[in-house]
Protein backbone atom coordinates (compact mmCIF):
# COMPACT_ATOMS: atom_id res chain seq x y z
CA UNK A 1 0.00 0.00 0.00
CA UNK A 2 1.58 3.24 -1.21
CA UNK A 3 -0.50 5.49 1.03
CA UNK A 4 -2.02 7.25 -1.96
CA UNK A 5 -5.75 6.75 -2.34
CA UNK A 6 -7.86 7.24 -5.42
CA UNK A 7 -11.61 7.17 -5.88
CA UNK A 8 -13.55 5.79 -7.56
CA UNK A 9 -11.80 2.58 -8.53
CA UNK A 10 -13.96 2.11 -11.62
CA UNK A 11 -16.06 4.58 -13.56
CA UNK A 12 -18.29 3.91 -16.55
CA UNK A 13 -19.87 6.82 -18.32
CA UNK A 14 -21.15 7.90 -21.71
CA UNK A 15 -19.58 10.13 -24.34
CA UNK A 16 -20.12 13.80 -23.74
CA UNK A 17 -20.34 13.42 -19.99
CA UNK A 18 -18.15 14.92 -17.27
CA UNK A 19 -16.44 13.06 -14.45
CA UNK A 20 -14.27 13.91 -11.47
CA UNK A 21 -11.48 11.71 -10.20
CA UNK A 22 -10.19 12.19 -6.70
CA UNK A 23 -6.78 11.63 -5.16
CA UNK A 24 -5.47 11.89 -1.63
CA UNK A 25 -1.68 12.00 -1.38
CA UNK A 26 0.48 10.31 1.22
CA UNK A 27 0.65 12.10 4.51
CA UNK A 28 3.30 14.79 4.29
CA UNK A 29 3.56 14.82 0.50
CA UNK A 30 2.99 18.19 -1.11
CA UNK A 31 3.15 17.24 -4.79
CA UNK A 32 0.41 15.47 -6.68
CA UNK A 33 0.83 14.18 -10.22
CA UNK A 34 -1.78 12.89 -12.64
CA UNK A 35 -1.01 10.32 -15.33
CA UNK A 36 -3.04 8.64 -18.04
CA UNK A 37 -2.30 5.07 -19.07
CA UNK A 38 -4.02 3.68 -22.14
CA UNK A 39 -3.97 0.01 -23.15
CA UNK A 40 -0.41 -1.11 -23.86
CA UNK A 41 0.84 2.40 -23.42
CA UNK A 42 3.20 3.89 -20.93
CA UNK A 43 2.35 6.53 -18.45
CA UNK A 44 1.53 9.86 -20.00
CA UNK A 45 2.10 12.73 -17.62
CA UNK A 46 -0.84 15.09 -17.45
CA UNK A 47 -0.24 17.67 -14.75
CA UNK A 48 1.48 18.30 -11.42
CA UNK A 49 0.47 20.40 -8.44
CA UNK A 50 2.68 21.39 -5.57
CA UNK A 51 1.18 22.78 -2.39
CA UNK A 52 -1.88 24.00 -4.21
CA UNK A 53 -0.20 25.51 -7.24
CA UNK A 54 0.21 24.12 -10.72
CA UNK A 55 3.84 23.17 -11.15
CA UNK A 56 4.17 21.37 -14.47
CA UNK A 57 1.92 20.56 -17.36
CA UNK A 58 2.21 17.67 -19.78
CA UNK A 59 -0.04 16.29 -22.47
CA UNK A 60 -3.27 17.36 -20.87
CA UNK A 61 -6.20 18.13 -23.12
CA UNK A 62 -8.07 21.38 -22.78
CA UNK A 63 -11.16 19.32 -21.86
CA UNK A 64 -9.29 18.16 -18.77
CA UNK A 65 -8.52 20.24 -15.72
CA UNK A 66 -7.24 19.64 -12.23
CA UNK A 67 -6.80 21.37 -8.94
CA UNK A 68 -5.24 20.77 -5.56
CA UNK A 69 -7.12 21.85 -2.49
CA UNK A 70 -5.81 23.32 0.79
CA UNK A 71 -5.93 19.87 2.40
CA UNK A 72 -3.69 18.75 -0.49
CA UNK A 73 -6.11 16.33 -2.06
CA UNK A 74 -6.51 16.74 -5.79
CA UNK A 75 -9.24 16.32 -8.34
CA UNK A 76 -8.97 15.68 -12.04
CA UNK A 77 -11.97 16.81 -14.06
CA UNK A 78 -12.59 15.27 -17.45
CA UNK A 79 -15.32 16.81 -19.59
CA UNK A 80 -16.92 16.23 -22.99
CA UNK A 81 -15.68 12.70 -22.73
CA UNK A 82 -14.77 10.77 -25.84
CA UNK A 83 -14.26 7.06 -26.38
CA UNK A 84 -10.53 7.63 -26.58
CA UNK A 85 -10.49 8.93 -23.02
CA UNK A 86 -11.05 5.41 -21.75
CA UNK A 87 -7.92 4.62 -19.78
CA UNK A 88 -6.41 4.12 -16.37
CA UNK A 89 -5.79 7.36 -14.55
CA UNK A 90 -3.14 7.31 -11.87
CA UNK A 91 -2.35 9.80 -9.22
CA UNK A 92 1.07 9.93 -7.60
CA UNK A 93 2.48 12.00 -4.79
CA UNK A 94 5.92 13.02 -3.63
CA UNK A 95 7.33 15.12 -0.85
CA UNK A 96 9.00 17.62 -3.18
CA UNK A 97 8.26 19.08 -6.56
CA UNK A 98 11.23 17.93 -8.64
CA UNK A 99 11.81 14.69 -10.50
CA UNK A 100 14.35 13.43 -8.00
CA UNK A 101 11.71 12.88 -5.38
CA UNK A 102 10.27 9.38 -5.38
CA UNK A 103 6.72 9.28 -6.62
CA UNK A 104 4.25 6.98 -4.88
CA UNK A 105 1.40 5.85 -7.07
CA UNK A 106 -2.18 5.20 -6.14
CA UNK A 107 -4.12 2.16 -7.36
CA UNK A 108 -5.67 4.09 -10.24
CA UNK A 109 -9.15 4.81 -11.54
CA UNK A 110 -10.28 2.84 -14.56
CA UNK A 111 -12.46 5.04 -16.76
CA UNK A 112 -14.59 3.46 -19.43
CA UNK A 113 -16.40 5.75 -21.85
CA UNK A 114 -19.16 4.08 -23.84
CA UNK B 1 11.73 16.50 -27.64
CA UNK B 2 12.46 14.18 -24.76
CA UNK B 3 11.77 10.50 -25.28
CA UNK B 4 12.37 7.36 -23.35
CA UNK B 5 11.86 4.05 -25.06
CA UNK B 6 12.29 0.36 -24.47
CA UNK B 7 13.99 -2.08 -26.80
CA UNK B 8 11.69 -5.05 -26.16
CA UNK B 9 7.98 -4.92 -25.40
CA UNK B 10 7.88 -8.46 -23.94
CA UNK B 11 10.35 -10.73 -22.22
CA UNK B 12 9.85 -14.32 -21.09
CA UNK B 13 12.33 -15.94 -18.72
CA UNK B 14 12.55 -19.22 -16.89
CA UNK B 15 12.12 -19.10 -13.15
CA UNK B 16 15.52 -18.86 -11.51
CA UNK B 17 17.21 -17.28 -14.51
CA UNK B 18 18.42 -13.71 -14.61
CA UNK B 19 16.35 -11.09 -16.45
CA UNK B 20 17.67 -8.05 -18.27
CA UNK B 21 15.32 -5.27 -19.28
CA UNK B 22 16.69 -2.49 -21.47
CA UNK B 23 15.80 1.13 -21.96
CA UNK B 24 17.13 3.88 -24.23
CA UNK B 25 16.80 7.56 -23.56
CA UNK B 26 17.40 10.49 -25.85
CA UNK B 27 17.75 13.49 -23.54
CA UNK B 28 21.45 13.91 -22.84
CA UNK B 29 20.58 16.37 -20.06
CA UNK B 30 18.84 13.65 -18.08
CA UNK B 31 20.69 12.89 -14.90
CA UNK B 32 18.25 10.87 -12.88
CA UNK B 33 16.73 7.54 -13.83
CA UNK B 34 14.21 5.29 -12.15
CA UNK B 35 12.82 1.84 -12.73
CA UNK B 36 9.20 1.15 -11.82
CA UNK B 37 7.35 -2.15 -11.61
CA UNK B 38 3.65 -2.35 -12.36
CA UNK B 39 1.75 -5.48 -11.47
CA UNK B 40 -1.60 -6.21 -13.03
CA UNK B 41 -4.32 -4.01 -11.59
CA UNK B 42 -1.94 -1.92 -9.51
CA UNK B 43 -0.13 1.37 -9.76
CA UNK B 44 3.59 1.55 -10.57
CA UNK B 45 5.95 0.82 -7.73
CA UNK B 46 9.45 2.25 -7.34
CA UNK B 47 12.19 -0.37 -7.68
CA UNK B 48 15.52 1.41 -7.92
CA UNK B 49 17.02 4.68 -9.10
CA UNK B 50 20.39 5.88 -10.28
CA UNK B 51 21.97 9.25 -10.79
CA UNK B 52 24.15 10.08 -13.76
CA UNK B 53 27.33 10.22 -11.66
CA UNK B 54 27.05 6.47 -11.21
CA UNK B 55 27.38 3.58 -13.64
CA UNK B 56 25.86 0.90 -11.49
CA UNK B 57 23.63 0.59 -8.47
CA UNK B 58 22.54 -2.53 -6.70
CA UNK B 59 19.48 -3.31 -4.66
CA UNK B 60 17.98 -6.50 -3.41
CA UNK B 61 18.17 -8.88 -6.41
CA UNK B 62 18.13 -5.92 -8.78
CA UNK B 63 20.92 -3.99 -10.43
CA UNK B 64 20.62 -0.92 -12.62
CA UNK B 65 23.34 -0.14 -15.13
CA UNK B 66 23.72 3.23 -16.80
CA UNK B 67 25.75 3.82 -19.94
CA UNK B 68 25.72 7.52 -20.60
CA UNK B 69 27.86 7.21 -23.72
CA UNK B 70 25.12 5.38 -25.59
CA UNK B 71 22.26 6.68 -23.45
CA UNK B 72 21.24 3.24 -22.31
CA UNK B 73 19.79 1.98 -19.08
CA UNK B 74 19.21 -1.60 -18.01
CA UNK B 75 17.57 -3.39 -15.13
CA UNK B 76 18.92 -6.77 -14.13
CA UNK B 77 16.85 -9.06 -11.93
CA UNK B 78 18.70 -11.98 -10.41
CA UNK B 79 17.06 -15.36 -9.88
CA UNK B 80 13.77 -14.23 -11.39
CA UNK B 81 10.71 -15.37 -9.49
CA UNK B 82 7.05 -15.67 -10.50
CA UNK B 83 6.34 -12.61 -8.38
CA UNK B 84 8.56 -10.59 -10.69
CA UNK B 85 6.04 -10.95 -13.49
CA UNK B 86 4.94 -7.41 -14.27
CA UNK B 87 5.46 -4.51 -16.62
CA UNK B 88 8.66 -2.60 -16.01
CA UNK B 89 9.02 1.06 -16.89
CA UNK B 90 12.10 3.21 -16.99
CA UNK B 91 11.73 6.92 -16.34
CA UNK B 92 14.11 9.81 -16.60
CA UNK B 93 14.45 13.41 -15.59
CA UNK B 94 16.95 16.10 -14.88
CA UNK B 95 17.70 16.56 -11.18
CA UNK B 96 18.21 20.23 -11.81
CA UNK B 97 14.90 20.88 -13.46
CA UNK B 98 14.05 24.30 -12.07
CA UNK B 99 10.73 25.36 -10.68
CA UNK B 100 8.09 26.31 -13.20
CA UNK B 101 10.33 25.26 -16.04
CA UNK B 102 7.48 23.59 -17.83
CA UNK B 103 9.49 20.40 -18.04
CA UNK B 104 7.78 17.16 -17.36
CA UNK B 105 8.87 15.92 -13.93
CA UNK B 106 9.40 12.40 -15.18
CA UNK B 107 9.25 10.92 -18.66
CA UNK B 108 8.23 7.27 -18.74
CA UNK B 109 9.01 4.68 -21.37
CA UNK B 110 6.30 2.44 -22.80
CA UNK B 111 7.20 -0.54 -20.64
CA UNK B 112 8.40 -4.13 -20.99
CA UNK B 113 6.19 -6.98 -19.92
CA UNK B 114 8.18 -9.61 -18.05
CA UNK B 115 6.67 -13.10 -17.89
CA UNK B 116 8.27 -15.71 -15.66
CA UNK B 117 7.86 -19.30 -16.74
CA UNK B 118 7.65 -21.71 -13.83
Amino acid sequence: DSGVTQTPKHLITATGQRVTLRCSPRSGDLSVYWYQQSLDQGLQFLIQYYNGEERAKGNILERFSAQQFPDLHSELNLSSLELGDSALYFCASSVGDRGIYEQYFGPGTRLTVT
Amino acid sequence: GESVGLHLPTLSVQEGDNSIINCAYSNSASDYFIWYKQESGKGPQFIIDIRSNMDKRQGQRVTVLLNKTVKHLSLQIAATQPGDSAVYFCAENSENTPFNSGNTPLVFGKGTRLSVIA
Side-chain angles (χ1 to χ4, degrees):
Chain A
D1 184 1
S2 66
V4 178
T5 60
Q6 288 186 249
T7 56
K9 193 169 180 128
H10 300 279
L11 197 51
I12 301 174
T13 189
T15 55
Q17 295 298 305
R18 182 179 188 274
V19 297
T20 297
L21 312 184
R22 183 188 169 102
C23 168
S24 292
R26 290 189 326 152
S27 177
D29 284 357
L30 298 178
S31 263
V32 170
Y33 310 78
W34 286 99
Y35 293 87
Q36 180 192 59
Q37 185 177 42
S38 302
L39 188 65
D40 294 331
Q41 293 293 312
L43 288 153
Q44 300 295 317
F45 169 72
L46 296 177
I47 197 163
Q48 176 201 4
Y49 280 82
Y50 177 77
N51 204 20
E53 294 185 359
E54 184 181 303
R55 183 65 82 192
K57 215 166 189 176
N59 300 320
I60 187 166
L61 301 172
E62 284 190 12
R63 300 183 285 108
F64 296 179
S65 65
Q67 54 183 327
Q68 185 179 29
F69 295 86
D71 67 352
L72 301 177
H73 91 271
S74 177
E75 292 181 357
L76 178 67
N77 301 298
L78 314 176
S79 62
S80 302
L81 285 167
E82 302 174 0
L83 295 177
D85 297 327
S86 295
L88 271 167
Y89 291 85
F90 287 103
C91 165
S93 73
S94 68
V95 63
D97 68 334
R98 301 192 187 193
I100 60 169
Y101 296 104
E102 181 177 342
Q103 294 184 26
Y104 295 86
F105 283 78
T109 292
R110 181 175 292 281
L111 173 67
T112 302
V113 182
T114 62
Chain B
E2 302 171 0
S3 67
V4 177
L6 292 164
H7 292 315
L8 297 172
T10 60
L11 177 66
S12 294
V13 297
Q14 207 69 34
E15 182 180 356
D17 287 351
N18 297 335
S19 302
I20 300 176
I21 301 172
N22 296 304
C23 176
Y25 64 95
S26 61
N27 186 358
S28 56
S30 294
D31 53 15
Y32 180 62
F33 305 88
I34 310 172
W35 281 99
Y36 280 88
K37 172 186 180 182
Q38 185 177 18
E39 296 176 272
S40 180
K42 297 184 179 178
Q45 180 184 11
F46 173 94
I47 302 174
I48 191 168
D49 61 0
I50 187 169
R51 285 180 167 73
S52 60
N53 60 353
M54 302 172 70
D55 297 322
K56 179 180 179 178
R57 189 164 188 222
Q58 287 183 294
Q60 188 174 15
R61 282 202 308 117
V62 294
T63 300
V64 56
L65 299 177
L66 176 62
N67 185 332
K68 295 180 286 295
T69 302
V70 295
K71 289 186 245 174
H72 184 267
L73 190 69
S74 69
L75 176 70
Q76 300 179 359
I77 304 173
T80 312
Q81 303 169 359
D84 296 326
S85 293
V87 176
Y88 290 82
F89 295 97
C90 62
E92 52 104 5
N93 194 18
S94 170
E95 185 172 346
N96 296 314
T97 301
F99 292 161
N100 296 324
S101 68
N103 290 335
T104 300
L106 279 178
V107 176
F108 284 82
K110 284 199 172 182
T112 292
R113 184 175 301 279
L114 176 65
S115 295
V116 181
I117 304 165

